[in-house]
Amino acid sequence: MAANKAAVDHLLASLQRDLNSCTDADRSLRRRAFDSLRKRLLDAPDAPDEATLTDALPALFPTLLRGFTDGVEKVREKSAELVNDLLARSADPATLLPSLMPALKATVGVVPVEEPSEEIRMGLVNLAKAAIVAAAERAEPFAEEVAAIVHASMRDQFHEVKKASCALAEALVAGLSPHPSARVTLARHAPKMINAALPDLAHRHSQVRHACLACVDALFDFVSAGDVADALAPGVRQLCGDRTPAVRSAFHVALARWISHVPGG
């Protein structure tokens, strides 16, 4: 149910001081602004109801997302956590993707990724996954942003970011593949994501290798025969002799499925 417009307008007006402080020159004021917004939007006894919050969030997000690139790590952390929790509270999270996904692409979807904190990088990639899962088929217009995030974040030195990137790609496939019209979109972006994942099939951590294999398997149905011959087949060959039994087993299961599938093109 849509919120009363007057209630939304009143909420936005009451938050204006904190919103202005999110970009203030004083770093301590910026940090306190995000704390205050969390309390007023989520934690306070008089926090807005779901309908009012849902209708207000598209107007709030552009300011909150500026915190992703703040010069103070604690502000970036608070911004990402608040955005994540507000996304989870929204009754219509897909309406937030037009501002959220470009902001995530600009932060963790470019090479090199400039965010120095491993935990924040991981949190932002996980936030992208949460947004894609929540939006389901309505995430299709943002497949390009997802592919860019996967492509950039698979180069991350932190193994947990690599695993999160693989899970993001899988989430996009899960949300879009049931819809025939979206399969063209997946086919457009799958090769870029597979090529990003293939090098880490040789990663020293078996969990990363397993995650990359799952990512490649999810995307396999959307690549051409040429992609299989030129990139995928040479890239996965080493898994036949992987030192971890669970990875070898998962590869054999995936390989059996691939053999029975004839890619388009």
Side-chain angles (χ1 to χ4, degrees):
M1 180 181 296
N4 183 293
K5 183 178 184 301
V8 174
D9 290 344
H10 176 75
L11 174 64
L12 294 175
S14 71
L15 297 173
Q16 196 57 55
R17 181 174 180 178
D18 284 331
L19 291 171
N20 291 341
S21 296
C22 286
T23 55
D24 193 90
D26 185 334
R27 62 172 60 193
S28 62
L29 192 58
R30 300 197 302 274
R31 185 170 60 248
R32 290 197 300 271
F34 279 99
D35 288 337
S36 177
L37 287 166
R38 168 174 289 280
K39 180 177 179 180
R40 298 182 68 184
L41 291 171
L42 296 172
D43 300 336
D46 61 345
D49 59 47
E50 182 182 82
T52 302
L53 181 65
T54 297
D55 286 358
L57 285 179
L60 294 173
F61 257 44
T63 297
L64 300 181
L65 294 171
R66 294 179 68 177
F68 285 6
T69 55
D70 194 277
V72 178
E73 180 175 321
K74 196 63 178 178
V75 174
R76 299 196 302 274
E77 179 184 313
K78 288 178 178 293
S79 169
E81 290 174 349
L82 178 59
V83 167
N84 182 75
D85 293 346
L86 290 172
L87 176 76
R89 191 72 63 90
S90 173
D92 192 9
T95 61
L96 304 175
L97 268 63
S99 59
L100 175 58
M101 294 309 296
L104 287 169
K105 178 184 176 183
T107 310
V108 288
V110 294
V111 179
V113 173
E114 295 185 358
E115 171 56 57
S117 167
E118 293 180 341
E119 295 300 326
I120 292 178
R121 297 197 305 270
M122 182 177 67
L124 292 175
V125 176
N126 283 331
L127 173 58
K129 178 194 172 186
I132 295 303
V133 170
E137 72 274 11
R138 293 168 68 187
E140 182 181 356
F142 308 98
E144 180 180 354
E145 284 84 350
V146 171
I149 293 169
V150 172
H151 178 260
S153 296
M154 285 305 302
R155 303 184 182 199
D156 201 291
Q157 294 302 305
F158 186 31
H159 63 280
E160 292 294 343
V161 173
K162 293 178 182 290
K163 289 160 60 179
S165 299
C166 291
L168 171 59
E170 290 183 72
L172 181 69
V173 172
L176 299 191
S177 58
H179 306 278
S181 62
R183 294 178 71 86
V184 175
T185 299
L186 286 171
R188 186 181 309 124
H189 298 290
K192 181 176 184 176
M193 291 187 280
I194 280 187
N195 287 333
L198 284 175
D200 281 306
L201 292 174
H203 196 275
R204 63 190 180 91
H205 288 169
S206 63
Q207 290 184 353
V208 173
R209 300 196 303 275
H210 199 287
C212 289
L213 174 59
C215 173
V216 170
D217 186 36
L219 293 164
F220 180 86
D221 293 350
F222 307 99
V223 297
S224 69
D227 292 324
V228 172
D230 296 341
L232 196 146
V236 303
R237 185 179 298 130
Q238 62 195 308
L239 293 178
C240 293
D242 193 277
R243 60 187 178 275
T244 302
V247 175
R248 291 199 307 272
S249 176
F251 173 61
H252 293 148
V253 171
L255 182 60
R257 190 182 77 81
W258 299 346
I259 290 173
S260 67
H261 174 80
V262 179

